[in-house]
Amino acid sequence: MTRKMWGLIPVLDCSQLLRLCPSQCKPCAFPITTPDPRVDSPQRTMSDQAFVTLATNDNYAKGAMVLGQSLRNHNTTKKLVALIGPHVAEACRDVLHSIFDEVCVVDVVDSGDAAHLALMKRPDLGVTFTKLHCWTLTHYSKCVFMDADTLVLSNIDELFEREELSAAPDPGWPDCFNSGVFVFTPSNETHEKLLTFCGENGSFDGGDQGVLNSFFNTWATADISKHLPFIYNLSSIAIYSYLPAFKQYGHDAKVVHFLGQSKPWHCSYDAQKGQVKGHSLSSDTCHLHPDYLLMWWQVYAKSVVPLLQQAYGDTPFNSGFVEASENGKLHEDVGEQPSHSAPPPPPPPPPQKATSEERKQRWEAGQIDYMGDDSFANIERKLDSFLK
């Protein structure tokens, strides 16, 4: 229906077409109406407020599962909503529906957003438009959006006492808020304004955080009550950039955010030893705080993997677990037939130990050796020696 309608629209400039789009081609979310196995759960409470997350593929769906389960584990009284992309596997959708109250498929291509992106020549904004669909959840009076790479450490229902747009400062630029956790009020009018704003201004960082900071541009100065404490969106990267503050305030953390390209699901887990395996991690991944990384995997192993096993049945899937083979070495349980690829090349020789001045220069340049001299344990040990 949408594609046919676009074929009948006369040639208009971008601003004219964008004014037509919000009302006639409004992006839509389609609920999955599968049975809810938690309908009789004693902890379930009817509410017109909801936590909302987004998963555009199977990996992020696993993150959403862990996030949803961590909210359940800490006895939230709010509804849980997952927005998912059309490429999320049916088995993952089934698991999401067993954790979340509502699972909505958001199809960017067929919702009219493709026309916006083509006119603006900004394909990078596709994910941004998808995340902005959360404002269309108007059957809720207030929501808290949480990225799928966040983990809840305690009950955070008090966030619903805040108003739109409440968020925590970003560790990279504190006058900007981080869009991984924010309080908002669903509104079709706001959603239309956001789409129009995207069309006219784009995003200064190519993603949703740039758009939202530009749209809600008084956050830094207008109302301090809309500044969430950093403990509601604790960046695992920030722990290393200001370790003394983490030692002082870290025990109060309520939400940890695994920022960066590397995510917990990129690691492997030894369920027998209860250890996240570092041998398969890149240096980028190792900035993730080991305690929080282990917490994520414990929730995943205990509550999510059994649901995935049930949903996939005999179909192979990547669990992320590693098991001991007969020769005592570890291999990853990917649930697939072993490949016959060439053996990996031998590891490179260990680098020469850097001098103190070289380490300082690398640290200031952002080249931190998370696996070696600059590991969390070494930094903590050095800091303790100064504090004694």
Side-chain angles (χ1 to χ4, degrees):
M1 182 68 181
T2 301
R3 286 189 289 269
K4 292 180 181 178
M5 185 183 70
W6 281 113
L8 299 175
I9 292 180
V11 177
L12 301 172
D13 63 36
C14 184
S15 62
Q16 290 172 316
L17 189 53
L18 284 169
R19 283 197 293 271
L20 291 174
C21 291
S23 60
Q24 297 183 25
C25 301
K26 179 182 171 181
C28 51
F30 303 95
I32 300 176
T33 54
T34 53
D36 188 346
R38 294 173 295 97
V39 69
D40 295 324
S41 171
Q43 292 184 356
R44 187 161 180 208
T45 303
M46 297 303 294
S47 172
D48 67 343
Q49 299 178 336
F51 287 101
V52 182
T53 191
L54 169 68
T56 53
N57 56 44
D58 289 356
N59 280 333
Y60 274 86
K62 291 178 181 178
M65 295 169 197
V66 172
L67 168 61
Q69 188 60 52
S70 68
L71 283 161
R72 296 278 179 210
N73 290 348
H74 293 291
N75 302 316
T76 182
T77 62
K78 311 302 179 181
K79 293 291 189 67
L80 303 186
V81 179
L83 305 179
I84 63 172
H87 301 299
V88 174
E90 287 296 331
C92 287
R93 298 185 189 194
D94 291 342
V95 175
L96 286 168
H97 207 283
S98 70
I99 297 173
F100 288 78
D101 296 285
E102 187 176 358
V103 180
C104 302
V105 179
V106 180
D107 193 329
V108 176
V109 175
D110 293 334
S111 67
D113 288 348
H116 289 65
L117 298 174
L119 286 170
M120 292 186 295
K121 298 181 180 179
R122 290 295 303 273
D124 57 304
L125 289 177
V127 174
T128 295
F129 279 134
T130 304
K131 190 169 184 177
L132 299 183
H133 286 333
C134 67
W135 265 272
T136 67
L137 298 170
T138 54
H139 49 297
Y140 297 106
S141 64
K142 188 181 293 184
C143 295
V144 173
F145 186 91
M146 303 187 71
D147 277 348
D149 58 351
T150 57
L151 176 70
V152 172
L153 308 178
S154 64
N155 187 285
I156 54 173
D157 286 0
E158 68 271 13
L159 286 179
F160 289 86
E161 300 171 8
R162 305 278 182 147
E163 300 301 325
E164 181 180 84
L165 189 292
S166 293
D170 186 82
W173 194 264
D175 280 343
C176 288
F177 59 81
N178 183 274
S179 61
V181 178
F182 61 86
V183 182
F184 71 100
T185 301
S187 163
N188 288 326
E189 180 182 1
T190 303
H191 180 251
E192 292 173 3
K193 288 181 179 179
L194 280 164
L195 291 184
T196 302
F197 184 88
C198 285
E200 296 175 350
N201 301 280
S203 168
F204 70 76
D205 66 356
D208 62 273
Q209 184 160 304
V211 168
L212 292 176
N213 270 276
S214 297
F215 187 82
F216 296 99
N217 58 11
T218 63
W219 174 86
T221 57
D223 187 352
I224 193 64
S225 70
K226 294 183 179 180
H227 288 217
L228 296 182
F230 196 57
I231 59 173
Y232 287 101
N233 191 353
L234 174 64
S235 163
S236 52
I237 295 175
I239 293 172
Y240 289 93
S241 62
Y242 196 4
L243 187 60
F246 175 70
K247 290 176 69 69
Q248 177 72 17
Y249 304 112
H251 61 277
D252 293 324
K254 291 177 176 285
V255 178
V256 62
H257 189 180
F258 298 101
L259 279 178
Q261 292 184 340
S262 297
K263 305 299 181 186
W265 51 83
H266 293 147
C267 307
S268 299
Y269 183 64
D270 184 346
Q272 292 182 342
K273 296 182 178 180
Q275 296 176 349
V276 180
K277 306 308 295 182
H279 72 278
S280 62
L281 309 184
S282 68
S283 59
D284 289 338
T285 310
C286 295
H287 69 257
L288 304 181
H289 188 279
D291 291 342
Y292 295 137
L293 196 58
L294 180 59
M295 289 180 190
W296 190 96
W297 274 95
Q298 287 173 338
V299 175
Y300 176 75
K302 180 180 178 180
S303 301
V304 174
V305 169
L307 296 175
L308 287 169
Q309 291 172 334
Q310 181 179 359
Y312 276 97
D314 296 331
T315 304
F317 73 97
N318 187 344
S319 70
F321 284 7
V322 292
E323 298 175 349
S325 60
E326 292 182 359
N327 60 9
K329 294 184 178 180
L330 294 172
H331 69 275
E332 187 172 359
D333 172 21
V334 296
E336 299 173 357
Q337 295 298 322
S339 62
H340 298 284
S341 56
Q352 295 182 345
K353 193 172 183 64
T355 65
S356 297
E357 185 61 27
E358 289 173 336
R359 285 182 59 200
K360 178 182 177 181
Q361 292 175 355
R362 292 175 185 176
W363 182 280
E364 292 175 347
Q367 301 171 355
I368 303 171
D369 182 15
Y370 294 110
M371 291 289 286
D373 291 335
D374 302 324
S375 68
F376 179 82
N378 285 343
I379 296 174
E380 187 175 34
R381 193 178 304 114
K382 190 71 173 178
L383 182 64
D384 287 340
S385 68
F386 285 117
L387 295 177
K388 287 181 179 178

PDB file of all heavy atoms in Angstrom, residues 191-216:
ATOM      1  N   HIS A 191       6.955  12.223  17.677  1.00  0.00           N
ATOM      2  CA  HIS A 191       7.548  11.328  16.686  1.00  0.00           C
ATOM      3  C   HIS A 191       7.611  11.999  15.322  1.00  0.00           C
ATOM      4  O   HIS A 191       8.639  11.953  14.629  1.00  0.00           O
ATOM      5  CB  HIS A 191       6.724  10.037  16.606  1.00  0.00           C
ATOM      6  CG  HIS A 191       7.257   9.059  15.611  1.00  0.00           C
ATOM      7  ND1 HIS A 191       6.625   8.783  14.424  1.00  0.00           N
ATOM      8  CD2 HIS A 191       8.384   8.300  15.621  1.00  0.00           C
ATOM      9  CE1 HIS A 191       7.322   7.891  13.742  1.00  0.00           C
ATOM     10  NE2 HIS A 191       8.390   7.579  14.451  1.00  0.00           N
ATOM     11  N   GLU A 192       6.540  12.660  14.926  1.00  0.00           N
ATOM     12  CA  GLU A 192       6.522  13.352  13.640  1.00  0.00           C
ATOM     13  C   GLU A 192       7.536  14.490  13.612  1.00  0.00           C
ATOM     14  O   GLU A 192       8.223  14.716  12.609  1.00  0.00           O
ATOM     15  CB  GLU A 192       5.113  13.864  13.357  1.00  0.00           C
ATOM     16  CG  GLU A 192       4.113  12.742  13.098  1.00  0.00           C
ATOM     17  CD  GLU A 192       2.683  13.239  12.997  1.00  0.00           C
ATOM     18  OE1 GLU A 192       2.480  14.470  13.069  1.00  0.00           O
ATOM     19  OE2 GLU A 192       1.774  12.407  12.833  1.00  0.00           O
ATOM     20  N   LYS A 193       7.643  15.216  14.727  1.00  0.00           N
ATOM     21  CA  LYS A 193       8.613  16.312  14.802  1.00  0.00           C
ATOM     22  C   LYS A 193      10.044  15.780  14.714  1.00  0.00           C
ATOM     23  O   LYS A 193      10.917  16.411  14.090  1.00  0.00           O
ATOM     24  CB  LYS A 193       8.422  17.098  16.096  1.00  0.00           C
ATOM     25  CG  LYS A 193       7.157  17.959  16.123  1.00  0.00           C
ATOM     26  CD  LYS A 193       7.057  18.714  17.441  1.00  0.00           C
ATOM     27  CE  LYS A 193       5.820  19.605  17.477  1.00  0.00           C
ATOM     28  NZ  LYS A 193       5.705  20.329  18.776  1.00  0.00           N
ATOM     29  N   LEU A 194      10.292  14.637  15.340  1.00  0.00           N
ATOM     30  CA  LEU A 194      11.625  14.044  15.284  1.00  0.00           C
ATOM     31  C   LEU A 194      11.981  13.633  13.852  1.00  0.00           C
ATOM     32  O   LEU A 194      13.110  13.854  13.394  1.00  0.00           O
ATOM     33  CB  LEU A 194      11.704  12.835  16.218  1.00  0.00           C
ATOM     34  CG  LEU A 194      11.916  13.146  17.695  1.00  0.00           C
ATOM     35  CD1 LEU A 194      11.598  11.925  18.558  1.00  0.00           C
ATOM     36  CD2 LEU A 194      13.348  13.600  17.953  1.00  0.00           C
ATOM     37  N   LEU A 195      11.025  13.034  13.136  1.00  0.00           N
ATOM     38  CA  LEU A 195      11.283  12.647  11.748  1.00  0.00           C
ATOM     39  C   LEU A 195      11.562  13.863  10.885  1.00  0.00           C
ATOM     40  O   LEU A 195      12.485  13.865  10.055  1.00  0.00           O
ATOM     41  CB  LEU A 195      10.088  11.862  11.187  1.00  0.00           C
ATOM     42  CG  LEU A 195       9.830  10.468  11.751  1.00  0.00           C
ATOM     43  CD1 LEU A 195       8.673   9.813  11.008  1.00  0.00           C
ATOM     44  CD2 LEU A 195      11.076   9.592  11.659  1.00  0.00           C
ATOM     45  N   THR A 196      10.765  14.892  11.062  1.00  0.00           N
ATOM     46  CA  THR A 196      10.981  16.119  10.305  1.00  0.00           C
ATOM     47  C   THR A 196      12.345  16.724  10.634  1.00  0.00           C
ATOM     48  O   THR A 196      13.077  17.187   9.747  1.00  0.00           O
ATOM     49  CB  THR A 196       9.870  17.140  10.599  1.00  0.00           C
ATOM     50  OG1 THR A 196       8.601  16.563  10.270  1.00  0.00           O
ATOM     51  CG2 THR A 196      10.068  18.405   9.791  1.00  0.00           C
ATOM     52  N   PHE A 197      12.690  16.718  11.922  1.00  0.00           N
ATOM     53  CA  PHE A 197      13.989  17.247  12.355  1.00  0.00           C
ATOM     54  C   PHE A 197      15.127  16.470  11.703  1.00  0.00           C
ATOM     55  O   PHE A 197      16.113  17.065  11.249  1.00  0.00           O
ATOM     56  CB  PHE A 197      14.090  17.172  13.873  1.00  0.00           C
ATOM     57  CG  PHE A 197      15.348  17.782  14.430  1.00  0.00           C
ATOM     58  CD1 PHE A 197      15.395  19.133  14.745  1.00  0.00           C
ATOM     59  CD2 PHE A 197      16.478  17.012  14.637  1.00  0.00           C
ATOM     60  CE1 PHE A 197      16.557  19.707  15.249  1.00  0.00           C
ATOM     61  CE2 PHE A 197      17.645  17.566  15.135  1.00  0.00           C
ATOM     62  CZ  PHE A 197      17.683  18.923  15.439  1.00  0.00           C
ATOM     63  N   CYS A 198      14.989  15.146  11.650  1.00  0.00           N
ATOM     64  CA  CYS A 198      16.014  14.322  10.999  1.00  0.00           C
ATOM     65  C   CYS A 198      16.173  14.724   9.537  1.00  0.00           C
ATOM     66  O   CYS A 198      17.289  14.819   9.013  1.00  0.00           O
ATOM     67  CB  CYS A 198      15.641  12.844  11.093  1.00  0.00           C
ATOM     68  SG  CYS A 198      15.873  12.100  12.701  1.00  0.00           S
ATOM     69  N   GLY A 199      15.029  14.946   8.877  1.00  0.00           N
ATOM     70  CA  GLY A 199      15.082  15.302   7.468  1.00  0.00           C
ATOM     71  C   GLY A 199      15.751  16.635   7.218  1.00  0.00           C
ATOM     72  O   GLY A 199      16.465  16.812   6.222  1.00  0.00           O
ATOM     73  N   GLU A 200      15.551  17.563   8.114  1.00  0.00           N
ATOM     74  CA  GLU A 200      16.082  18.902   7.917  1.00  0.00           C
ATOM     75  C   GLU A 200      17.506  19.070   8.434  1.00  0.00           C
ATOM     76  O   GLU A 200      18.267  19.892   7.918  1.00  0.00           O
ATOM     77  CB  GLU A 200      15.171  19.921   8.606  1.00  0.00           C
ATOM     78  CG  GLU A 200      13.770  19.986   8.002  1.00  0.00           C
ATOM     79  CD  GLU A 200      12.854  20.908   8.785  1.00  0.00           C
ATOM     80  OE1 GLU A 200      13.266  21.339   9.899  1.00  0.00           O
ATOM     81  OE2 GLU A 200      11.735  21.178   8.312  1.00  0.00           O
ATOM     82  N   ASN A 201      17.882  18.285   9.469  1.00  0.00           N
ATOM     83  CA  ASN A 201      19.169  18.511  10.139  1.00  0.00           C
ATOM     84  C   ASN A 201      20.099  17.312  10.139  1.00  0.00           C
ATOM     85  O   ASN A 201      21.296  17.473  10.370  1.00  0.00           O
ATOM     86  CB  ASN A 201      18.920  18.933  11.598  1.00  0.00           C
ATOM     87  CG  ASN A 201      18.082  20.185  11.700  1.00  0.00           C
ATOM     88  OD1 ASN A 201      18.576  21.287  11.539  1.00  0.00           O
ATOM     89  ND2 ASN A 201      16.792  20.011  11.966  1.00  0.00           N
ATOM     90  N   GLY A 202      19.561  16.113   9.930  1.00  0.00           N
ATOM     91  CA  GLY A 202      20.398  14.927  10.023  1.00  0.00           C
ATOM     92  C   GLY A 202      20.871  14.696  11.448  1.00  0.00           C
ATOM     93  O   GLY A 202      20.225  15.124  12.404  1.00  0.00           O
ATOM     94  N   SER A 203      21.998  14.017  11.580  1.00  0.00           N
ATOM     95  CA  SER A 203      22.549  13.699  12.897  1.00  0.00           C
ATOM     96  C   SER A 203      24.029  14.042  12.907  1.00  0.00           C
ATOM     97  O   SER A 203      24.767  13.638  12.010  1.00  0.00           O
ATOM     98  CB  SER A 203      22.365  12.212  13.207  1.00  0.00           C
ATOM     99  OG  SER A 203      23.115  11.819  14.342  1.00  0.00           O
ATOM    100  N   PHE A 204      24.466  14.780  13.913  1.00  0.00           N
ATOM    101  CA  PHE A 204      25.875  15.188  13.923  1.00  0.00           C
ATOM    102  C   PHE A 204      26.824  14.030  14.163  1.00  0.00           C
ATOM    103  O   PHE A 204      28.022  14.131  13.872  1.00  0.00           O
ATOM    104  CB  PHE A 204      26.132  16.335  14.913  1.00  0.00           C
ATOM    105  CG  PHE A 204      26.020  15.970  16.372  1.00  0.00           C
ATOM    106  CD1 PHE A 204      27.010  15.259  17.018  1.00  0.00           C
ATOM    107  CD2 PHE A 204      24.907  16.383  17.118  1.00  0.00           C
ATOM    108  CE1 PHE A 204      26.930  14.946  18.370  1.00  0.00           C
ATOM    109  CE2 PHE A 204      24.810  16.077  18.466  1.00  0.00           C
ATOM    110  CZ  PHE A 204      25.821  15.355  19.093  1.00  0.00           C
ATOM    111  N   ASP A 205      26.305  12.904  14.703  1.00  0.00           N
ATOM    112  CA  ASP A 205      27.172  11.737  14.868  1.00  0.00           C
ATOM    113  C   ASP A 205      26.707  10.551  14.024  1.00  0.00           C
ATOM    114  O   ASP A 205      27.211   9.444  14.183  1.00  0.00           O
ATOM    115  CB  ASP A 205      27.281  11.338  16.337  1.00  0.00           C
ATOM    116  CG  ASP A 205      25.969  10.826  16.927  1.00  0.00           C
ATOM    117  OD1 ASP A 205      24.937  10.845  16.214  1.00  0.00           O
ATOM    118  OD2 ASP A 205      25.969  10.414  18.102  1.00  0.00           O
ATOM    119  N   GLY A 206      25.742  10.772  13.151  1.00  0.00           N
ATOM    120  CA  GLY A 206      25.264   9.697  12.291  1.00  0.00           C
ATOM    121  C   GLY A 206      24.346   8.714  12.974  1.00  0.00           C
ATOM    122  O   GLY A 206      23.992   7.696  12.385  1.00  0.00           O
ATOM    123  N   GLY A 207      23.960   8.973  14.217  1.00  0.00           N
ATOM    124  CA  GLY A 207      23.118   8.028  14.941  1.00  0.00           C
ATOM    125  C   GLY A 207      22.067   8.729  15.764  1.00  0.00           C
ATOM    126  O   GLY A 207      21.898   9.958  15.709  1.00  0.00           O
ATOM    127  N   ASP A 208      21.360   7.951  16.565  1.00  0.00           N
ATOM    128  CA  ASP A 208      20.238   8.493  17.331  1.00  0.00           C
ATOM    129  C   ASP A 208      20.697   9.479  18.404  1.00  0.00           C
ATOM    130  O   ASP A 208      19.984  10.431  18.719  1.00  0.00           O
ATOM    131  CB  ASP A 208      19.443   7.357  17.970  1.00  0.00           C
ATOM    132  CG  ASP A 208      20.271   6.554  18.953  1.00  0.00           C
ATOM    133  OD1 ASP A 208      20.944   5.602  18.525  1.00  0.00           O
ATOM    134  OD2 ASP A 208      20.251   6.873  20.156  1.00  0.00           O
ATOM    135  N   GLN A 209      21.887   9.277  18.965  1.00  0.00           N
ATOM    136  CA  GLN A 209      22.328  10.164  20.044  1.00  0.00           C
ATOM    137  C   GLN A 209      22.521  11.592  19.539  1.00  0.00           C
ATOM    138  O   GLN A 209      22.149  12.555  20.215  1.00  0.00           O
ATOM    139  CB  GLN A 209      23.623   9.649  20.672  1.00  0.00           C
ATOM    140  CG  GLN A 209      24.083  10.475  21.869  1.00  0.00           C
ATOM    141  CD  GLN A 209      25.045   9.716  22.770  1.00  0.00           C
ATOM    142  OE1 GLN A 209      24.732   8.641  23.241  1.00  0.00           O
ATOM    143  NE2 GLN A 209      26.216  10.289  22.992  1.00  0.00           N
ATOM    144  N   GLY A 210      23.063  11.741  18.347  1.00  0.00           N
ATOM    145  CA  GLY A 210      23.230  13.064  17.782  1.00  0.00           C
ATOM    146  C   GLY A 210      21.896  13.738  17.510  1.00  0.00           C
ATOM    147  O   GLY A 210      21.719  14.935  17.794  1.00  0.00           O
ATOM    148  N   VAL A 211      20.945  12.988  16.965  1.00  0.00           N
ATOM    149  CA  VAL A 211      19.616  13.534  16.677  1.00  0.00           C
ATOM    150  C   VAL A 211      18.927  13.969  17.963  1.00  0.00           C
ATOM    151  O   VAL A 211      18.406  15.091  18.073  1.00  0.00           O
ATOM    152  CB  VAL A 211      18.749  12.496  15.942  1.00  0.00           C
ATOM    153  CG1 VAL A 211      17.288  12.950  15.896  1.00  0.00           C
ATOM    154  CG2 VAL A 211      19.260  12.268  14.539  1.00  0.00           C
ATOM    155  N   LEU A 212      18.913  13.094  18.965  1.00  0.00           N
ATOM    156  CA  LEU A 212      18.173  13.385  20.193  1.00  0.00           C
ATOM    157  C   LEU A 212      18.793  14.545  20.967  1.00  0.00           C
ATOM    158  O   LEU A 212      18.083  15.371  21.547  1.00  0.00           O
ATOM    159  CB  LEU A 212      18.099  12.128  21.066  1.00  0.00           C
ATOM    160  CG  LEU A 212      17.249  10.994  20.487  1.00  0.00           C
ATOM    161  CD1 LEU A 212      17.327   9.756  21.379  1.00  0.00           C
ATOM    162  CD2 LEU A 212      15.799  11.423  20.310  1.00  0.00           C
ATOM    163  N   ASN A 213      20.126  14.636  20.980  1.00  0.00           N
ATOM    164  CA  ASN A 213      20.756  15.758  21.673  1.00  0.00           C
ATOM    165  C   ASN A 213      20.481  17.083  20.966  1.00  0.00           C
ATOM    166  O   ASN A 213      20.324  18.116  21.618  1.00  0.00           O
ATOM    167  CB  ASN A 213      22.263  15.532  21.797  1.00  0.00           C
ATOM    168  CG  ASN A 213      22.644  14.797  23.062  1.00  0.00           C
ATOM    169  OD1 ASN A 213      22.785  15.395  24.116  1.00  0.00           O
ATOM    170  ND2 ASN A 213      22.788  13.481  22.954  1.00  0.00           N
ATOM    171  N   SER A 214      20.401  17.047  19.647  1.00  0.00           N
ATOM    172  CA  SER A 214      20.089  18.271  18.917  1.00  0.00           C
ATOM    173  C   SER A 214      18.620  18.653  19.087  1.00  0.00           C
ATOM    174  O   SER A 214      18.287  19.839  19.184  1.00  0.00           O
ATOM    175  CB  SER A 214      20.404  18.089  17.426  1.00  0.00           C
ATOM    176  OG  SER A 214      21.785  17.863  17.219  1.00  0.00           O
ATOM    177  N   PHE A 215      17.747  17.666  19.134  1.00  0.00           N
ATOM    178  CA  PHE A 215      16.315  17.935  19.274  1.00  0.00           C
ATOM    179  C   PHE A 215      15.981  18.404  20.688  1.00  0.00           C
ATOM    180  O   PHE A 215      15.308  19.414  20.882  1.00  0.00           O
ATOM    181  CB  PHE A 215      15.523  16.676  18.919  1.00  0.00           C
ATOM    182  CG  PHE A 215      14.028  16.881  18.877  1.00  0.00           C
ATOM    183  CD1 PHE A 215      13.424  17.421  17.756  1.00  0.00           C
ATOM    184  CD2 PHE A 215      13.238  16.528  19.956  1.00  0.00           C
ATOM    185  CE1 PHE A 215      12.048  17.614  17.707  1.00  0.00           C
ATOM    186  CE2 PHE A 215      11.859  16.717  19.922  1.00  0.00           C
ATOM    187  CZ  PHE A 215      11.261  17.259  18.788  1.00  0.00           C
ATOM    188  N   PHE A 216      16.469  17.675  21.694  1.00  0.00           N
ATOM    189  CA  PHE A 216      16.265  18.066  23.096  1.00  0.00           C
ATOM    190  C   PHE A 216      17.491  18.879  23.536  1.00  0.00           C
ATOM    191  O   PHE A 216      18.242  18.476  24.429  1.00  0.00           O
ATOM    192  CB  PHE A 216      16.076  16.830  23.971  1.00  0.00           C
ATOM    193  CG  PHE A 216      14.838  16.037  23.649  1.00  0.00           C
ATOM    194  CD1 PHE A 216      14.918  14.897  22.855  1.00  0.00           C
ATOM    195  CD2 PHE A 216      13.592  16.422  24.130  1.00  0.00           C
ATOM    196  CE1 PHE A 216      13.774  14.165  22.548  1.00  0.00           C
ATOM    197  CE2 PHE A 216      12.446  15.691  23.833  1.00  0.00           C
ATOM    198  CZ  PHE A 216      12.532  14.569  23.041  1.00  0.00           C
TER     199      PHE A 216
END
